[in-house]
Amino acid sequence: MSTLTVRPVAGHIGADIDGVDLAGPLAVETVDAIKQALAGRRDDVFLATKFHGRMGDDVNRFGNSRRWIHRAVEDSLRRLGTDHIDLYQVHRPEEDTDFDETLGALTDLVRQGKVRYLGTSTFPPSRIVEGQWIAERRGRERVVAEQPPYSILARGVEAEVLPVAQRYGLAVIPWSPLAGGWLTGRYRAGGPQPESSRAARRPGRFEIGGARNAAKLEAVEALAVLAEQSGLTLIELALGFVLAHPAVTAPIIGPRTLEQLESQLGAADTPLPPDVLDEIDKIVPPGTTLSSQDAGHTPPPLREPALRRRPLG
């Protein structure tokens, strides 16, 4: 498998990419482009997708339950025009559904030949370990991959998630290695506010002048200087950093144009020397996520006060 996995640019699943990761609702033209690209070479492409996110207004079209998993996989197979998914991933943990129910439903899909491997995305280390325990004790198929948020600006997973993945032999395919665009060179101090669909959906995370993003902007400026001194683009520095971690299998890149794709592919052949990695550690210390908005998932006890307090009376 390539050292980079790509979310598809419509019409451009290139010859150098053999891993395709899909997430969230896709535009009809994107789905059609994927189907065309897969035609005649399905066995040469490793196809990954996810379930969990809400698909429409129906309260039942969401989550990690057996009912929704079976509906979601059939919908994905039909839309993509294929008879199997190589890696089917639980997009986020869900407290209201027993993880054993989720793994039981996914085990059925593996035994039916509709899914080859199981994965999770943005799971805390305790849930990763729970999944391994359930598989061993209850005869379920084992999760073999985790997809965490990981970049120079979001290093929190270095503390436990990545070591746990290594301990259990899980493949690690990080999402957002360019920090949602912050590490592409578009976000610079004194520069214009970049426009994107992500920024429109979550302006607080992408606002250059936002107080919560001040540390990120300061780090980006220092990283840009380091990249220039090292003879690299900021993109090459960012992707090279993620690829340098021994737990990482293949970071996911999300180019929207062929030009963006080509600017990112070169990072796979640009390993960072130890002195450059040491300088990165000085700018953003190991295990540090500069903004909680980039953690990917907030555990329910941190969101809901009632889960942290005994009832009165």
Side-chain angles (χ1 to χ4, degrees):
M1 187 174 179
S2 299
T3 22
L4 295 173
T5 298
V6 65
R7 288 200 174 112
V9 179
H12 297 291
I13 298 180
D16 294 330
I17 294 293
D18 57 13
V20 177
D21 175 83
L22 310 175
L26 298 174
V28 173
E29 59 270 21
T30 302
V31 174
D32 289 342
I34 295 167
K35 291 173 67 174
Q36 292 174 17
L38 293 177
R41 56 172 303 205
R42 175 64 186 89
D43 291 338
D44 299 324
V45 175
F46 191 91
L47 182 65
T49 189
K50 305 181 182 72
F51 67 90
H52 171 83
R54 190 171 300 282
M55 302 287 285
D57 297 329
D58 188 337
V59 295
N60 292 313
R61 293 173 61 83
F62 165 81
N64 301 343
S65 68
R66 174 179 291 273
R67 181 182 187 277
W68 175 236
I69 290 170
H70 281 274
R71 172 72 180 275
V73 76
E74 294 297 340
D75 288 347
S76 292
L77 293 173
R78 184 183 66 256
R79 286 193 300 264
L80 294 169
T82 185
D83 63 355
H84 72 279
I85 293 165
D86 293 296
L87 178 63
Y88 203 36
Q89 300 158 103
V90 192
H91 203 170
R92 291 291 187 277
E94 185 189 7
E95 301 303 317
D96 294 335
T97 302
D98 191 326
F99 201 5
D100 182 52
E101 176 181 340
T102 301
L103 289 179
L106 292 171
T107 296
D108 291 345
L109 296 179
V110 172
R111 294 173 182 174
Q112 292 166 12
K114 296 177 180 179
V115 170
R116 299 282 173 84
Y117 300 102
L118 308 182
T120 53
S121 178
T122 320
F123 268 47
S126 60
R127 298 303 297 272
I128 294 173
V129 173
E130 180 187 0
Q132 300 298 308
W133 185 93
I134 290 171
E136 179 182 347
R137 301 296 179 88
R138 299 181 181 175
R140 307 304 193 190
E141 288 291 326
R142 193 172 75 90
V143 170
V144 300
E146 163 60 13
Q147 188 181 121
Y150 185 40
S151 73
I152 297 177
L153 305 183
R155 302 183 61 175
V157 296
E158 291 175 337
E160 290 192 75
V161 171
L162 297 186
V164 166
Q166 288 177 289
R167 188 175 308 131
Y168 287 98
L170 272 61
V172 174
I173 43 179
W175 58 270
S176 202
L178 297 177
W182 279 87
L183 295 173
T184 62
R186 297 179 64 212
Y187 289 78
R188 300 299 300 271
Q193 174 67 49
E195 295 183 2
S196 71
S197 57
R198 286 176 299 193
R201 291 194 304 270
R202 301 182 62 186
R205 183 182 174 193
F206 296 96
E207 184 182 2
I208 287 181
R212 297 179 69 181
N213 295 325
K216 289 200 296 188
L217 190 59
E218 181 180 353
V220 166
E221 292 301 312
L223 291 166
V225 172
L226 175 61
E228 184 175 0
Q229 292 173 343
S230 306
L232 302 168
T233 66
L234 185 55
I235 288 174
E236 289 171 339
L237 184 77
L239 293 177
F241 165 81
V242 174
L243 285 164
H245 197 290
V248 170
T249 307
I252 297 171
I253 56 176
R256 297 180 181 276
T257 66
L258 186 57
E259 181 182 6
Q260 291 177 359
L261 175 62
E262 292 171 344
S263 73
Q264 297 173 29
L265 288 179
D269 301 316
T270 312
L272 300 187
D275 61 319
V276 173
L277 293 169
D278 289 342
E279 291 301 316
I280 291 174
D281 286 349
K282 294 176 184 177
I283 296 169
V284 181
T288 301
T289 294
L290 296 179
S291 172
S292 61
Q293 300 175 100
D294 298 328
H297 175 70
T298 302
L302 301 185
R303 296 195 309 262
E304 303 172 27
L307 297 178
R308 304 191 300 270
R309 301 170 185 172
R310 293 180 184 274
L312 298 176

